[in-house]
Amino acid sequence: MDVPLWAWGAVLAVIVVMLAVDLLAHRKAHVVSVREAAVWSAVWVSLGLAFGGVVWWAYGAQAGGEYFAGYLIEKSLAVDNVFVFALIFTYFAVPREYQHRVLFYGVLGALVFRAIFIAGGVVLIENFAWILYVFGAFLVLTGWKMFSHRNDEMDPSRNPVLRLVRRWVPSTDEYDGQKFWVRRAGRWVATPLFTVLVLVETTDIIFAVDSIPAIFAVTQDPFLVFTSNAFAILGLRAMYFLLADLMHRFVHLKAGLAAILVFVGVKMLLLDVWKVPIWLSLTVIATSITVAVVASLRATREQAGPRHRADRERVG
């Protein structure tokens, strides 16, 4: 797909402007309500879908379908990020009013690192076409491992990055507003918010190792890979505040995500045998995540009532 340089510049400009608007809207620390998160989620999703419409109009149904498939993959896998972020915030008892700042810089870093990974992936594919089979086998293995360990609980205290930060970075155990660094006894020390940011960033890098090869399974065009990834990631903060309190109900989510990873992995392994049509990819991806969410909500339906009453009593 021949994308002019000005189109890349326009996309990056839109991303920068939207990030600036988001930062301005949340310049003061406050607890992001579900309503506010829903509004921002609608904004980010609308922006992502609108851009997909532009791609469809400018480059045809095949390119548009590939963008939407990549967007769906990244958006689906991002839900798993939300679950991990919730665990990290709970472990460090991060005040809710400071969480948006951590996620903002986390997403900013994620966009930079993913651009680097995507560029590296494009170079590898152009020079070593067989790497696609490696990606495919990796995704099938990752999907199987995700399904096999879907009920395992993550323990942030065992994270090797956390041990490195605590060992090598001078830190304080006290929060100081939204600051990542503060001056204590004549030297700069990191607040717990900095440690949380490092864990959020490294967690997203780990997830990118799965999601980026998965998007390469539906398109190898660097413009579509980057834009589908970027527009899905931009809504990650709003998605967290919208879904974090409901994550206990998504009991079958990992099974659905595992199915998506296995499917795109097999699709990549079959490149020289059968090119899976993009409409089938979109159908399988959308169906997998929909079935997982619906099955989860039905399985945990009895939990919703007591928890909802408890939330109302706490608010009251």
Side-chain angles (χ1 to χ4, degrees):
M1 197 170 83
D2 186 19
V3 179
L5 190 60
W6 66 262
W8 281 95
V11 169
L12 293 176
V14 169
I15 291 173
V16 170
V17 169
M18 290 305 297
L19 285 172
V21 170
D22 188 27
L23 184 61
L24 184 64
H26 298 88
R27 62 188 182 278
K28 293 183 179 180
H30 67 281
V31 176
V32 178
S33 66
V34 173
R35 180 179 180 180
E36 181 181 357
V39 171
W40 275 101
S41 291
V43 169
W44 293 121
V45 170
S46 298
L47 185 64
L49 295 180
F51 183 81
V54 172
V55 171
W56 195 299
W57 170 77
Y59 295 99
Q62 180 66 25
E66 291 177 0
Y67 167 85
F68 283 119
Y71 181 84
L72 272 178
I73 289 173
E74 182 57 48
K75 206 69 173 174
S76 300
L77 294 175
V79 180
D80 208 23
N81 287 36
V82 169
F83 178 73
V84 176
F85 293 164
L87 287 176
I88 293 173
F89 286 147
T90 300
Y91 177 78
F92 283 92
V94 180
R96 292 179 67 90
E97 60 267 28
Y98 303 153
Q99 293 176 4
H100 182 275
R101 182 176 176 85
V102 174
L103 292 176
F104 177 86
Y105 287 104
V107 167
L108 195 61
L111 289 171
V112 174
F113 282 112
R114 284 168 188 253
I116 295 172
F117 290 164
I118 291 169
V122 170
V123 171
L124 285 175
I125 292 172
E126 289 180 348
N127 291 276
F128 310 100
W130 51 264
I131 200 70
L132 288 172
Y133 297 106
V134 176
F135 286 169
F138 172 75
L139 290 172
V140 172
L141 179 61
T142 301
W144 173 249
K145 287 179 64 177
M146 179 180 287
F147 180 79
S148 302
H149 300 282
R150 62 189 182 281
N151 296 320
D152 292 356
E153 291 287 340
M154 174 191 168
D155 184 2
S157 65
R158 300 175 61 182
N159 190 308
V161 175
L162 176 59
R163 291 198 291 267
L164 284 174
V165 171
R166 285 177 168 172
R167 181 175 181 180
W168 296 105
V169 179
S171 305
T172 176
D173 293 329
E174 299 177 357
Y175 288 97
D176 190 340
Q178 298 189 85
K179 297 178 181 177
F180 293 113
W181 293 85
V182 293
R183 198 168 181 83
R184 294 283 188 272
R187 66 169 185 166
W188 289 99
V189 295
T191 68
L193 217 57
F194 173 80
T195 305
V196 172
L197 176 61
V198 171
L199 289 183
V200 166
E201 201 67 71
T202 53
T203 296
D204 186 79
I205 290 174
I206 293 171
F207 276 104
V209 174
D210 297 336
S211 64
I212 291 177
I215 297 177
F216 274 119
V218 294
T219 178
Q220 284 89 57
D221 186 279
F223 184 76
L224 296 179
V225 174
F226 175 74
T227 53
S228 62
N229 207 280
F231 282 109
I233 285 296
L234 283 171
L236 184 59
R237 296 178 308 285
M239 181 188 291
Y240 167 78
F241 291 109
L242 187 63
L243 299 180
D245 290 337
L246 297 175
M247 290 310 298
H248 67 286
R249 298 195 61 191
F250 294 152
V251 293
H252 298 306
L253 177 65
K254 285 186 179 292
L257 298 179
I260 292 174
L261 289 177
V262 170
F263 169 75
V264 296
V266 171
K267 171 183 167 73
M268 195 171 277
L269 291 172
L270 294 177
L271 279 175
D272 289 334
V273 178
W274 178 48
K275 186 173 178 60
V276 179
I278 195 63
W279 66 264
L280 182 57
S281 296
L282 280 166
T283 301
V284 171
I285 295 166
T287 301
S288 297
I289 195 64
T290 300
V291 170
V293 170
V294 172
S296 296
L297 295 178
R298 291 190 64 180
T300 59
R301 186 166 43 194
E302 294 182 358
Q303 300 177 19
R307 189 179 182 100
H308 179 65
R309 287 194 298 271
D311 290 341
R312 285 191 302 177
E313 290 173 1
R314 186 171 63 250
V315 172

